[in-house]
Amino acid sequence: MKSADTLNMAEEIVKAVREEYDSLNRLNVLILGKTGVGKSTLINKVFNENLAATGVGKPITKNIRPLSKKGFPLTIYDTPGMELSGQNSVDGLIGEVKKLVQKGVMSGSVDEAIHCVWYCISTPSHRIEPTELYFLKSFLSATTTCSIPVILILTQSYSKKDARALIAEIEKEALGVEKIVPVLAQDYELDEDITVKAFGLEELTEVMYELIPTAVKNTFASVQKASVDIKKREAQAVVAKSAKMAAVTGAVPIPFSDAAILVPEQIAMLAKITAIFGIPLQKAAITTILSGMLGTTGTTIAGRSIVTNIIKLIPGAGSIAGGAISAATASALTAALGEAYIAVMVRIVTGELPLAKLSTSEGRKELAAIFSQSLKKKPFKK
Ligand SMILES: Nc1nc2c(ncn2[C@@H]2O[C@H](COP(=O)(O)OP(=O)(O)O)[C@@H](O)[C@H]2O)c(=O)[nH]1
Ligand SMILES: [Mg+2]
């Protein structure tokens, strides 16, 4: 193994991101709802990959079809042709769904279990039909023992008033669903000059994040795109942990010549953050980000130089240059690196800082500013 001194940071991060991604538990979501209520539209707006269009798998039963993509830790069980007309079709579907849920439970594996159910009803339909009520009640009573959270989603809610009325109707039924969430997944053109803005996706994502098992929360943070805030919080938790680890490493002050000892933890941290944001970053882009933040040039960043360069950028570095890096400094510089990297990821996913702009002089200036901002917030002590 190469020593951390000469490691190519970007290369190691790319490798670690792949490992990180492969190590995520698979998240499985079952989406129920009649044809045309907006299931595919919703899937595309909530998740990172366009599964509804590209990830179509073979139907596993008459009504259930898995959507997934190689290397993407999410399976959606879609019900594309669900009709629920007549007792037979309802009972048939209940049977299929029960089987799918039981198979997951029996496997005893988190990768096989169904972690959340979305039941979609279209708000403009103004009602929940008796067959749907019957279906929901049977489904809920059959699955109470495996405690799978069911979110009732009122789709196509371009009228919030109608959505509120429908929620009141459904609440009367006391179904025992975890939550009823109205959404409009995509802007709706009501008339030539009236467009209703999409809403509710972030709330749906927050609700789901709270309800799913801890073992798949970081997968969900990574595969969803509707809430940047969830990504940010998840990434901040990673930084807090890494900063603590760095403090442990620096408990016996680290001589400058051994600065690279902090590097493996920092690689792991940056890889985890990259995976959470789900941005497919190549080696070159990562090099550009790191060198932009540190104000260095050249096509690689060696492990050791990342720590020494950060120290050089710390305001008043002279006073801490007592020949060794203290626990507080080790922790603070790791945290500053992590937080700056998060700030960059946020700007990339929101489109404020497009990937193409990173390597321009303007982009480099912005990266440097983000990093110096983050350094200022940290206490650097001897
Ligand atoms: N504007 C707008 N159209 C929607 C929304 N949800 C669904 N639709 C439209 O309703 C139709 C059916 O949606 P689709 O996602 O295919 O429904 P599915 O059969 O349940 O998968 C499509 O023409 C969508 O464009 C929405 O939130 N906003
Ligand atoms: Mg569909």
Side-chain angles (χ1 to χ4, degrees), residues 73-368:
L74 169 73
T75 302
I76 304 271
Y77 291 92
D78 189 17
T79 47
M82 189 174 136
E83 287 308 339
L84 291 186
S85 48
Q87 196 68 31
N88 275 350
S89 64
V90 178
D91 287 338
L93 183 62
I94 290 171
E96 289 175 42
V97 166
K98 265 198 220 164
K99 225 190 243 166
L100 177 69
V101 169
Q102 275 161 2
K103 201 178 135 227
V105 173
M106 296 305 286
S107 76
S109 152
V110 65
D111 290 308
E112 305 277 326
I114 301 293
H115 303 111
C116 190
V117 176
W118 293 0
Y119 192 97
C120 301
I121 297 174
S122 166
T123 290
S125 72
H126 292 292
R127 59 194 289 258
I128 177 162
E129 289 169 19
T131 46
E132 292 205 274
L133 271 179
Y134 170 74
F135 175 86
L136 260 171
K137 282 178 183 165
S138 323
F139 173 71
L140 287 163
S141 74
T143 54
T144 41
T145 48
C146 32
S147 63
I148 300 172
V150 176
I151 305 172
L152 202 57
I153 304 174
L154 304 188
T155 54
Q156 301 166 325
S157 295
Y158 49 82
S159 162
K160 286 187 180 150
K161 196 173 147 221
D162 287 353
R164 273 196 301 274
L166 187 54
I167 289 173
E169 277 308 304
I170 295 170
E171 274 172 350
K172 279 187 208 151
E173 300 289 339
L175 289 168
V177 294
E178 293 294 342
K179 194 97 185 174
I180 306 175
V181 185
V183 300
L184 181 63
Q186 134 187 333
D187 292 356
Y188 184 83
E189 200 186 309
L190 199 61
D191 206 340
E192 276 161 0
D193 48 1
I194 308 170
T195 297
V196 185
K197 285 260 161 245
F199 74 91
L201 293 176
E202 211 165 335
E203 149 129 64
L204 168 64
T205 309
E206 286 285 351
V207 164
M208 176 160 163
Y209 184 82
E210 285 309 314
L211 293 174
I212 56 176
T214 310
V216 288
K217 279 193 202 288
N218 51 358
T219 307
F220 182 51
S222 169
V223 297
Q224 62 81 30
K225 65 176 174 192
S227 167
V228 176
D229 211 54
I230 287 178
K231 290 183 188 290
K232 217 169 131 182
R233 291 191 324 247
E234 194 86 10
Q236 279 164 341
V238 169
V239 172
K241 239 190 219 167
S242 299
K244 243 185 226 165
M245 290 295 290
V248 173
T249 309
V252 175
I254 307 161
F256 274 148
S257 54
D258 293 344
I261 197 172
L262 291 170
V263 166
E265 183 62 37
Q266 291 172 350
I267 289 172
M269 173 179 78
L270 298 181
K272 283 198 172 97
I273 298 171
T274 310
I276 289 166
F277 278 88
I279 307 167
L281 290 179
Q282 308 296 325
K283 200 168 101 184
I286 294 176
T287 305
T288 305
I289 292 169
L290 294 179
S291 65
M293 292 198 312
L294 300 175
T296 60
T297 51
T299 51
T300 57
I301 297 192
R304 190 179 127 76
S305 71
I306 194 155
V307 181
T308 49
N309 273 304
I310 294 172
I311 289 175
K312 270 191 231 152
L313 291 172
I314 296 171
S319 64
I320 60 162
I325 303 164
S326 70
T329 297
S331 155
L333 72 84
T334 302
L337 177 64
E339 277 163 26
Y341 195 77
I342 292 174
V344 173
M345 295 295 116
V346 168
R347 281 181 216 203
I348 293 173
V349 289
T350 56
E352 282 168 67
L353 182 56
L355 279 176
K357 197 181 149 193
L358 286 176
S359 52
T360 64
S361 67
E362 217 182 313
R364 281 179 63 84
K365 245 186 237 158
E366 196 168 334
L367 290 166

Side-chain angles (χ1 to χ4, degrees), residues 35-36 38-41 43 52 65 78-80:
T35 306
K39 299 183 296 298
S40 299
T41 308
I43 293 166
R65 190 170 59 180
D78 189 17
T79 47

